[in-house]
Amino acid sequence: MRDQSNKYFYLMALLMGSVLAVVGIIVLAFYILKLFAITLFNIPGSSYLFELFIVIIPYLILFAAYYLVHTQVSASRRSAAAGVARILLTTGSLICVTGLVLSLVIFFKVKAQWLTIFNEYANHTFALHLILILISAGILATGDPKEKSWLERQ
C-alpha cells in the first residue's frame, strides 16, 4: 500500500511541477519579449519598420491562405468546381494585391481623398477575403468524392 501512495504522490508532484514550469516559461518569455521591445524601440527608425511589418503581415497571411487553397485546385476531380474556385481565387488575389498596394501608399503618407475612403473600409476587405477563401474551399470540397466512414475502412 505504501508503494501505491508513493506512486500517486510522485505523479501529483510531477503534475504540479509541470504546471509551475509552464507558468515559469510563459513569465520568462514575456519578460524577454518586454526587454526586447524596450531595446528595439530605443533604436532610431525601428518603430517605423515595426509599423510597416504590421501593415504587411495580414496580407502575407491572406496570400498564404490563397496559395494553400490554390494548391488544392489541381487535386479537384470536377473541372467545373476547379474553374469556379480558380476564378474566385484569382479575383481574391487581385483584390489582395490591390489592398496591399493601397495600404502601402497610405503608410508612406500619400494624401488623396479616395485613399481616405479606402482606409475607412480597409478592415471590411479582410472579411471579404475570408469569405472568398471559404467559398472557394467549399466549392473545391463539392468536387471531391465522399470519404468513407472510418467504420467502413479496415
Side-chain angles (χ1 to χ4, degrees), residues 21-37:
V22 167
V23 170
I25 289 172
I26 291 172
V27 167
L28 184 66
F30 277 118
Y31 182 71
I32 289 172
L33 287 175
K34 184 177 179 180
L35 287 177
F36 179 72

Side-chain angles (χ1 to χ4, degrees), residues 23-140:
V23 170
I25 289 172
I26 291 172
V27 167
L28 184 66
F30 277 118
Y31 182 71
I32 289 172
L33 287 175
K34 184 177 179 180
L35 287 177
F36 179 72
I38 291 169
T39 305
L40 185 67
F41 283 113
N42 285 330
I43 299 171
S46 63
S47 62
Y48 189 74
L49 288 175
F50 179 74
E51 291 173 13
L52 181 64
F53 182 74
I54 294 299
V55 168
I56 291 175
I57 284 298
Y59 291 103
L60 293 179
I61 292 171
L62 287 172
F63 283 131
Y66 279 119
Y67 178 75
L68 180 67
V69 176
H70 186 72
T71 58
Q72 301 300 316
V73 169
S74 60
S76 178
R77 303 215 190 276
R78 291 177 45 195
S79 61
V84 171
R86 192 169 277 136
I87 290 170
L88 287 174
L89 290 173
T90 303
T91 303
S93 296
L94 290 175
I95 292 171
C96 196
V97 167
T98 306
L100 176 62
V101 168
L102 291 177
S103 294
L104 288 174
V105 167
I106 290 171
F107 176 75
F108 291 120
K109 310 264 191 282
V110 174
K111 302 289 184 192
Q113 180 64 30
W114 57 276
L115 283 176
T116 57
I117 293 171
F118 168 77
N119 198 19
E120 291 175 5
Y121 295 107
N123 293 334
H124 301 296
T125 60
F126 290 118
L128 173 69
H129 289 295
L130 293 176
I131 290 170
L132 279 174
I133 291 169
L134 290 174
I135 289 173
S136 300
I139 289 172
L140 286 175

